[in-house]
Amino acid sequence: MWFYEKKLLYPVRVSTCNPMLAKFLLELYGGADGELAAALRYMNQRYSVPDRLISLLTDVATEELAHLEMIATMIYKLTKDATPDQLKQAGLGEHYVNHDRALFYTNAAGVPFTAAYIQTKGDPIADMYDNIAAEEKARATYQWMIDLSDDPDLNDSLRFLREREIIHSQRFREALEILKEGQ
Amino acid sequence: MHSHFKKWNPYVSPFDPCPPLNVKYYSTPPNLYIGFQPPGLPQYPNASEALRSGTLWPALYSPYPKPNSVEGEEES
């Protein structure tokens, strides 16, 4: 079970009204390398890995949920006061006609989230290598998102999230070393 | 200490439609080199600095975008 703390992991500020950034951020929300995929992937792997990795997967999965909440806050702030016309201009017309301004788990191109994004092979070596790759892909996605964004406040939060992916990758690399040594 | 970015020079054709990007960079964060994190690694002097960096340890910090100061940095 979890205890919920009613604050964000790291502050989210948005300084410009730019709904197009919300469209791009959806990649990190419901995309293949997004936070939902990461949280679900690790939470699901916990049951079948060697004992020494369970708490690591729980910790990282929990933090990914906190990241998901930050991304949701960014998207919400960027779209909550946008007019339908502004959303259309930003490429979110298709989103608006289906969901209004409600958040939905899609990637930046509007493709709905699918469990097929979550890799679990059941082999701990294969899964840890895959987790490392997932973290590096998330890091790269944050980089390209920062490249696209000219909002300094948003970028501050995005840089924080990118660094966290690096730390997670570090921990999975250490987990791989533990697996190589045996229990 | 490894550099945070590596650079390479993509091939430029005389018939490329866009002005060429002669140098491209990619990020090489510290997790690629560190192996097991050594015990007692020095931490940031205060919590707010650690929070802003996203990590407790300066040795695990990776900047992005590439700071101008590392322009032309050679691989170490």
Side-chain angles (χ1 to χ4, degrees):
Chain A
M1 68 169 284
W2 279 265
F3 288 101
Y4 183 70
E5 200 163 340
K6 209 167 183 174
K7 59 184 180 188
L8 292 176
L9 178 66
Y10 185 88
V12 168
R13 289 213 183 87
V14 176
S15 50
T16 51
C17 172
N18 188 351
M20 191 179 279
L21 294 179
K23 179 179 165 69
F24 300 147
L25 280 165
L26 284 169
E27 193 65 38
L28 290 155
Y29 193 60
D33 303 319
E35 300 292 354
L36 179 69
L40 295 181
R41 154 200 292 260
Y42 304 139
M43 241 183 276
N44 184 60
Q45 284 180 9
R46 292 185 298 166
Y47 298 93
S48 51
V49 291
D51 294 356
R52 291 178 73 188
L53 304 189
I54 296 173
S55 60
L56 170 66
L57 287 167
T58 307
D59 287 353
V60 177
T62 304
E63 190 181 330
E64 303 291 10
L65 285 175
H67 295 177
L68 184 71
E69 194 178 36
M70 286 177 64
I71 300 291
T73 305
M74 292 174 190
I75 295 170
Y76 170 71
K77 285 188 181 213
L78 284 161
T79 52
K80 76 183 178 78
D81 298 317
T83 64
D85 200 48
Q86 280 175 317
L87 291 170
K88 194 166 69 179
Q89 294 293 325
L92 285 168
E94 295 84 350
H95 184 97
Y96 183 80
V97 75
N98 196 357
H99 308 291
D100 189 340
R101 293 172 190 81
L103 275 70
F104 190 65
Y105 293 114
T106 71
N107 71 4
V111 179
F113 181 82
T114 163
Y117 292 157
I118 303 163
Q119 293 301 317
T120 307
K121 191 49 69 178
D123 176 79
I125 300 293
D127 282 347
M128 275 318 120
Y129 271 112
D130 205 69
N131 292 354
I132 292 165
E135 294 293 341
E136 300 299 345
K137 284 191 282 182
R139 169 184 61 77
T141 310
Y142 277 110
Q143 288 171 194
W144 316 151
M145 183 66 221
I146 290 167
D147 292 348
L148 285 167
S149 161
D150 55 0
D151 186 321
D153 286 331
L154 193 71
N155 283 354
D156 182 58
S157 305
L158 292 172
R159 272 194 295 271
F160 171 87
L161 290 168
R162 173 182 174 274
E163 177 66 31
R164 294 313 301 160
E165 309 299 354
I166 291 167
I167 303 297
H168 293 170
S169 171
Q170 168 69 22
R171 299 300 169 237
F172 287 131
R173 286 164 196 272
E174 288 166 354
L176 199 54
E177 295 305 315
I178 290 172
L179 288 172
K180 281 155 72 177
E181 286 167 14
Q183 290 282 341
Chain B
M1 185 64 186
H2 295 274
S3 57
H4 288 295
F5 290 87
K6 304 290 181 286
K7 62 177 180 180
W8 61 292
N9 304 104
Y11 170 73
V12 176
S13 157
F15 307 112
D16 286 343
C18 303
L21 293 168
N22 289 310
V23 184
K24 286 191 177 178
Y25 295 88
Y26 56 95
S27 171
T28 49
N31 60 20
L32 297 174
Y33 307 102
I34 211 162
F36 260 110
Q37 181 175 334
L41 204 59
Q43 298 191 3
Y44 282 104
N46 57 64
S48 65
E49 212 174 321
L51 179 66
R52 279 189 59 83
S53 304
T55 173
L56 288 174
W57 303 275
L60 279 170
Y61 176 71
S62 160
Y64 196 86
K66 186 180 71 61
N68 288 332
S69 57
V70 299
E71 183 80 40
E73 185 180 48
E74 295 303 317
E75 290 186 23
S76 56

